[in-house]
Amino acid sequence: MKVALTVWENRISPVFDCAQRLLIVDISGRAEISRHFEPFHWHSPFSRASRLSELGVQVLICGAVSEYFASMIDTYGITIIPFVAGEVDKVLDAYLTDGLYDRKFRMPGCSDQGKAWESRWDDVRNKKYY
């Protein structure tokens, strides 16, 4: 399975809608098999969602994402884990070890949405995207 993370420098890009680079990670079980970076210069919601689908992405881990972009990505059947912050390798390790729901990976200002965050993470875990 493939997981995409939006990247800005060595951190999760704070806003999906204008992210310029993706880290694509192939995962088997709970182990990383390979990784590579992809440019992500498409601007329209359709072209961004379409590109994720072309890359075979099943899960997108990102920072903030507008509702319009998120709904377009959802139409492609891609699971979105939004409002994530932190260093890319730590976020990926947390995802692989079922620890991404920890508050330290939430974007600043998202702490009041704890139940929504945990509910979204439960949905991802139940689908067993590992």
Side-chain angles (χ1 to χ4, degrees), residues 39-96:
F40 199 55
H41 302 291
W42 295 264
H43 297 290
S44 77
F46 175 77
S47 59
R48 283 185 169 245
S50 175
R51 182 65 181 144
L52 290 171
S53 180
E54 289 169 7
L55 291 168
V57 170
Q58 293 172 284
V59 175
L60 170 67
I61 300 172
C62 61
V65 58
S66 69
E67 188 175 331
Y68 191 64
F69 277 87
S71 66
M72 187 61 67
I73 293 165
D74 280 340
T75 65
Y76 280 89
I78 298 168
T79 298
I80 305 170
I81 305 175
F83 307 112
V84 175
E87 294 178 24
V88 171
D89 286 332
K90 290 181 180 178
V91 167
L92 182 59
D93 287 344
Y95 175 77
L96 292 172

